[in-house]
Amino acid sequence: MINHKKTNTVRRVAMFSVHGDPLAKIGSSQSGGQNVYVYELSRWLAKTGWQVDIFCRWADKKIGPKKKIGRRVTVVRFQAGELKVLPKEDFLSHLETFFTHFLTYKKDNKIQYDIIHGHYWDGGLLATHAQELLKIPFIQTFHSLGYVRNNTLKKFQKLPSGLEEEKFEKRFEIEKKIARKADRIIAESPYEEDDLIRYYDVSNNRVVVIPAGVDTSAFSPQDKQKAREQLQVERESRVLLYVGRLEWRKGIGTLITSLNSVIKKDPSNSYQLIIVGGSFNRNGDQADTLEYRRLMKIAEEYHLTDRIRFEGSIPQKKLSAYYAAADACVVPSYYEPFGIVPLEAMAMKLPVVASATGGLQFTVLNSETGLSVTPRDPFDLAEKILLLFNEQELRSRMVANAHNRVIHDFNWKLISRRIDTLYQQVIKDSKP
Ligand code: UDP
């Protein structure tokens, strides 16, 4: 174990998290798990002594180009492309400008970075440039793998359009380059590790499995009835909760269909679905709005509009009340690289029903820490939701196991220490 506290030098990491601004409004189509991950990892790394600079694309005129999070973490935003939210798939043409800003920033501030941490494929591509030009080693966290994502789209017959396919090909090439060049890759679950080895030809000695964590001081058990009063949720109703971005691959359409089955099978109880996430409006044409309209249509077909509440995106600080007010958290994704939402629910002692896909298979162990369902199977999902309500003993056991597991395995303090050790190892190995 390396103990950097014995040395007096400040260690510096530059994170490239182009669309994942840790201080952005979370829950819209362009911001979710990556933003939360970068925020938590940085503030915990700072506690272990790291000076962290996070480089993001400037996307909001109302906020400035630079902001500190505590003493040791700085968020630096570069203007690359229009100063507004753009689909992250369209960043490629702006990355050169972004990198030039980075070099200028580094030079003007006379900063030497010990290591780079690339996030997603855009941040990873910048990290390869830094590695080549500045000879700084780099670590990569993908957060999502293009190959697996595209395969999921194809598997469920939502065939990508020609343009999407073209973007995917480019992304896949870039991801393969990052996978070849990175000094180490952090896979967030053993499933992601397998995908990296199988589809990206990464040797297993360059992949390290380190999951994301959850902030257990923000997400801890609370009084249900109090939360229901606060959110104006009926005392007696059975509440299902979805938290996350409004995106087709998140499977919210399947969840609405399964709600219809649940109500048919158990008409004597009053079921409600609360959907948290998405920034949409009635007339917009943004991805969230299009998905919102599609979901509303499904809800209308089943006459379920009065059973579903669309809350829009809710800041992290206010989210715990939603978990507290609910009876079950449903994660119906078709593809989920990791999934922080189930961890938040588990930390709040809320039972989870999740698709058996990607990282969810690592966090939600069937009948142990939650219930697993076949992705995109509304009938299986309905059955498992009913099982949760009908089997009190199973429910209590799973909630206790899940809570324990979160405290031990998904604790940011321990996770950030593992990443700290990894950074130091890579720096040491890169020295001639
Ligand atoms: N989230 C939030 N407000 C919302 C919707 C989501 O703060 O309105 C957060 C949620 O609590 C979680 C993250 O966004 O921390 C979503 O992460 P996850 O890994 O589950 O999904 P991803 O966005 O990576 O697909």
Side-chain angles (χ1 to χ4, degrees), residues 27 44 52 84 105 132 136 139 162 167 204 233 255 277 292 330 339 353 364 375:
W44 280 98
V52 188
K84 64 174 196 181
Y105 180 87
E132 275 161 31
I136 309 173
I139 304 271
K167 282 184 186 169
N204 59 2
V233 174
L255 173 54
Y292 166 73
V330 187
V353 185
V364 184

Side-chain angles (χ1 to χ4, degrees), residues 25-28 31-37 143 188 219 243-245 247 249-250 276-278 312-317 319 323 331 335-342 344:
K25 186 177 166 203
I26 313 290
S28 73
S31 55
Q34 182 180 325
N35 308 58
V36 175
Y37 177 101
H143 298 278
E188 291 180 84
F219 297 101
V243 177
R245 292 174 293 122
E247 219 185 70
R249 68 132 176 120
K250 289 283 189 180
V276 168
S313 78
I314 301 287
Q316 284 264 292
K317 278 193 187 121
L319 258 186
Y323 287 111
V331 190
Y335 163 51
E336 195 61 70
F338 182 71
I340 297 174
V341 163
E344 291 167 352

Side-chain angles (χ1 to χ4, degrees), residues 11-27:
R11 290 189 183 266
R12 283 184 168 269
V13 53
M15 296 211 187
F16 292 124
S17 180
V18 185
H19 71 273
D21 186 329
L23 296 174
K25 186 177 166 203
I26 313 290

